[in-house]
């Protein structure tokens, strides 16, 4: 039996059943109350709907539909005509070069593809445009020219300040001449994150991690009161977060070291910069304690202890004598820093100490720095100095057998071993500053987690 015949038979059967049900419903309605009529009416329409679905015809089979092929010729434009139009149009090119040390204007314009005598004369004679010649080596200079080398505009960055960078712009005007102007452009601030592993020294690690030298110096200052950089070892590591400033895709300058963590000899030191407003700020641990100590661990950034606070044979007299300070071996000319805030009480020669600076602090504390080659400008008696300020340079004056710094820590003018003195931190943050500080610290902690995810994985494995 064909499929259509089966559907016709199904429809006829459905209609007969519907009629039978309708007759039964009408007979029952006569013996029921009027309120029972409505449900049977709904049943009637439902049965009719079933019958309607049963008899609805099916869509035709797609395989039986007629197929027609349409062919149309497309006329393509002539390639020669397109090339001819391109040749007739004026082309423009933008090129960028780095200014090299000893560059002349002619050599620079040649590398940039500028072949424009009027532009070259303008750059030589205009007082503002001559700023191109003062741009320092390494700066990027960009030009826009025609395919014939005619200059349309030139721009190069000059000085940087807190608000942005000053850019020299030379552009062709409506009279087919040139106009030079200096404009201040806003810098783009970016947050950089880097990790480093100590293999030999800090600066080797920072160079390998592509960390700018200015940030490497700030790493030392950030952790100088909590990490002994003279005792770094293989396996130590650090993570840092710092800011950089860019213009047109070019790094203009590095900013502040915002946060860092340094693991040295199994101990983890963490710090975050917190801006307290009004130009004030400092580095704090993640629990809000200031990292600024009363005294630095060493007046020199990098050195080694050649003689400690103990009894020894004096290198000149040959007698057994108490050494009342700590000697730091360093190259002649190495900067010497004040280990704490204070006032210079002496700056000049003093017997076997040679050139010496004595700084008075508070509560009877004082520090002495001997054998200097020379004093820092302005380092004289009565001058106020701050912690970390350079007061002189390593030398070998007085009773000395080689360049080094003799450093003394005194309490009521009596030499004491600085390693036995309890060094206190500066005051912690005020309670009203803590909510804002915790937000900053949490952001930096999250960044450190991103820098070293394997550390978290190892911690989870150990916790299991």
């Amino acid at each position: 039996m064909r499929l259509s015949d089966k559907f016709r038979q199904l429809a006829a059967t459905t209609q007969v059943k519907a009629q039978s049900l309708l007759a039964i419903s009408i007979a029952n309605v006569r013996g029921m109350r009027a309120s029972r009529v409505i449900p049977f009416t709904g049943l009637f329409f439902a049965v009719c709907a079933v019958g309607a679905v049963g008899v609805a015809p099916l869509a035709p089979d797609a395989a039986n539909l007629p197929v027609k092929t349409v062919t149309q010729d497309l006329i393509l434009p002539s390639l020669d005509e397109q090339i001819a139009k391109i040749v007739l149009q004026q082309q423009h090119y933008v090129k960028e070069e780095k200014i090299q040390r000893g560059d002349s204007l002619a050599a620079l314009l040649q590398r940039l593809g500028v072949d424009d005598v009027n532009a070259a004369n303008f750059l030589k004679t205009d007082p503002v445009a001559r700023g191109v010649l003062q741009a320092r080596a390494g700066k990027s200079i960009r030009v826009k020219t025609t395919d014939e080398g005619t200059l349309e505009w030139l721009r190069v960055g000059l000085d940087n300040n807190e608000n942005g960078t000053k850019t020299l712009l030379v552009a062709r005007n409506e009279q087919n001449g040139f106009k030079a102007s200096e404009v201040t452009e806003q810098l783009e601030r970016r947050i950089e994150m880097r990790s480093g592993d100590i293999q030999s020294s800090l600066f080797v690690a920072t160079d390998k991690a592509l960390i700018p030298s200015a940030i490497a110096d700030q790493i030392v200052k950030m952790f100088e009161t909590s990490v002994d950089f003279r005792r770094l070892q293989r396996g130590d590591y650090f993570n840092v977060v710092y800011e950089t400033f860019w213009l047109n895709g070019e790094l203009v300058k590095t900013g502040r070291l915002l946060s860092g963590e340094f693991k040295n000899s199994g101990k983890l030191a963490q710090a975050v910069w917190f801006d307290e407003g009004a130009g004030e700020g400092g580095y704090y641990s993640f629990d809000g304690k200031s990292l600024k100590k009363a005294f630095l661990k060493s007046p020199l950034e990098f050195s080694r202890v050649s003689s400690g606070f103990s009894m020894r044979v004096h290198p000149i007299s040959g007698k057994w004598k108490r050494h009342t300070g700590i000697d730091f071996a360093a190259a002649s000319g190495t900067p010497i820093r004040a280990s704490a805030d204070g006032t210079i009480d002496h700056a000049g020669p003093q017997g076997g100490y040679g050139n010496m600076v004595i700084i008075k602090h508070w509560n009877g504390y004082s520090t002495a720095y001997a054998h200097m080659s020379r004093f820092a400008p302005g380092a004289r008696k009565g001058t106020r100095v701050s912690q970390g300020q350079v007061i002189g340079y390593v030398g070998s004056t007085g009773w000395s057998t080689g360049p080094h710094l003799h450093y003394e820590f005194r309490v009521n003018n009596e030499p004491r071993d600085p390693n036995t003195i309890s060094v206190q931190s500066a005051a912690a943050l005020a309670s009203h500053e803590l909510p804002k500080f915790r937000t900053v610290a949490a952001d930096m902690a999250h960044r450190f987690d991103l820098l070293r995810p394997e550390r978290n994985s190892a911690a989870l494995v150990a916790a299991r």
Side-chain angles (χ1 to χ4, degrees):
M1 182 182 293
R2 293 183 301 176
L3 183 60
S4 58
D5 294 337
K6 289 183 179 181
F7 275 108
R8 290 193 186 97
Q9 184 178 354
L10 177 61
T13 305
T14 305
Q15 288 178 348
V16 171
K17 290 181 179 181
Q19 290 174 0
S20 300
L21 290 173
L22 181 59
I24 295 171
S25 299
I26 293 173
N28 291 336
V29 167
R30 290 175 180 173
M32 297 181 182
R33 291 177 297 177
S35 60
R36 304 290 297 275
V37 175
I38 295 175
F40 285 107
T41 305
L43 178 60
F44 167 73
F45 285 110
V47 171
C48 291
V50 172
V53 172
V55 300
L58 294 177
D61 190 353
N64 298 326
L65 294 177
V67 178
K68 183 179 180 181
T69 302
V70 178
T71 302
Q72 184 177 356
D73 294 332
L74 298 177
I75 302 175
L76 298 177
S78 172
L79 182 60
D80 294 336
E81 292 180 0
Q82 295 183 65
I83 294 176
K85 290 180 179 179
I86 293 176
V87 170
L88 293 175
Q89 293 177 354
Q90 183 68 264
Q91 301 301 309
H92 304 275
Y93 303 93
V94 175
K95 191 173 182 180
E96 180 174 331
E97 285 283 342
K98 294 283 187 181
I99 297 176
Q100 300 176 5
R101 189 177 302 275
D103 252 341
S104 65
L105 180 61
L108 183 59
L109 294 180
Q110 184 179 12
R111 288 206 314 276
L112 289 166
V114 177
D115 185 12
D116 191 329
V117 176
N118 293 332
N121 291 334
F122 180 81
L123 293 172
K124 292 177 182 178
T125 57
D126 185 83
V128 178
R130 285 177 59 87
V132 174
L133 304 176
Q134 276 104 39
R136 73 174 187 271
K139 277 287 187 180
S140 292
I141 181 169
R142 303 174 69 196
V143 297
K144 182 179 180 181
T145 64
T146 65
D147 52 357
E148 297 176 350
T150 303
L151 180 67
E152 295 191 357
W153 56 254
L154 174 149
R155 63 190 307 147
V156 59
L158 300 176
D159 300 328
N160 304 318
N161 52 52
E162 296 181 356
N163 299 323
T165 182
K166 187 182 293 183
T167 299
L168 172 62
L169 177 62
V170 177
R172 190 175 291 274
N173 57 27
E174 297 178 354
Q175 290 75 34
N176 205 29
F178 292 96
K179 180 181 179 181
S181 59
E182 293 182 353
V183 295
T184 300
E185 296 183 295
Q186 190 66 33
L187 298 177
E188 175 194 358
R189 179 177 180 263
R190 299 182 187 178
I191 303 299
E192 308 278 349
M193 302 189 299
R194 293 285 188 272
S195 294
D197 294 289
I198 301 297
Q199 299 296 327
S200 57
S201 69
L202 174 64
F203 287 128
V204 170
T206 54
D207 287 344
K208 187 176 180 180
L210 302 180
I211 295 174
S213 58
I215 299 300
D217 292 338
Q218 292 184 55
I219 293 175
V220 175
K221 294 186 182 299
M222 172 184 278
F223 293 111
E224 63 188 351
T225 58
S226 54
V227 175
D228 191 347
F229 288 98
R230 297 168 297 169
R231 292 180 171 85
L232 297 180
Q233 58 188 13
R234 188 183 297 269
D236 292 350
Y237 67 82
F238 58 88
N239 296 321
V240 291
V241 180
Y242 59 94
E243 57 184 3
T244 55
F245 296 89
W246 300 70
L247 180 65
N248 298 323
E250 178 187 4
L251 176 62
V252 175
K253 64 177 181 177
T254 55
R256 187 185 302 279
L257 177 60
L258 300 176
S259 186
E261 62 177 7
F262 206 112
K263 192 164 189 180
N264 171 233
S265 301
K267 296 182 179 180
L268 183 65
Q270 293 179 314
V272 56
W273 171 265
F274 182 66
D275 190 349
E276 302 171 43
E280 298 293 330
Y283 289 112
Y284 294 83
S285 61
F286 277 25
D287 57 359
K289 296 179 181 178
S290 176
L291 293 185
K292 184 177 181 180
K293 304 291 185 180
F295 292 89
L296 300 178
K297 285 183 176 293
S298 170
L300 305 181
E301 288 188 357
F302 293 96
S303 64
R304 62 179 178 85
V305 175
S306 57
S307 182
F309 191 94
S310 60
M311 297 296 293
R312 69 169 187 176
V313 175
H314 195 276
I316 294 180
S317 67
K319 296 181 179 180
W320 192 258
K321 186 178 181 181
R322 181 189 179 197
H323 187 232
T324 58
I326 296 178
D327 288 349
F328 294 94
S332 182
T334 301
I336 301 171
R337 306 171 301 167
S339 60
D341 298 344
T343 302
I344 294 179
D345 187 55
H346 172 82
Q350 193 174 99
Y353 285 110
N355 292 331
M356 185 179 189
V357 168
I358 300 175
I359 302 177
K360 281 191 173 182
H361 305 292
W362 62 93
N363 293 337
Y365 293 129
S366 61
T367 52
Y369 314 79
H371 305 311
M372 291 183 176
S373 61
R374 58 191 176 94
F375 304 103
R380 54 183 177 270
K381 185 174 181 178
T383 303
R384 288 281 303 171
V385 293
S386 57
Q387 186 180 74
Q389 182 177 335
V390 175
I391 56 174
Y393 301 88
V394 170
S396 186
T397 56
W399 295 352
S400 171
T401 58
H404 73 283
L405 168 68
H406 175 82
Y407 172 67
E408 289 188 9
F409 186 92
R410 301 171 177 177
V411 180
N412 296 323
N413 292 325
E414 287 293 326
R416 298 280 296 274
D417 185 353
N419 294 322
T420 63
I421 302 297
S422 178
V423 180
Q424 298 180 348
S425 301
L429 284 171
S431 57
H432 69 276
E433 295 279 11
L434 287 177
K436 180 182 176 183
F437 172 80
R438 291 192 184 103
T439 300
V440 176
D443 175 57
M444 294 304 164
H446 175 66
R447 291 179 182 273
F448 291 151
D449 290 340
L450 295 176
L451 281 169
R452 287 299 179 94
E454 68 275 9
R455 212 183 314 148
N456 293 335
S457 301
L460 290 175
V461 172
R464 293 175 183 173

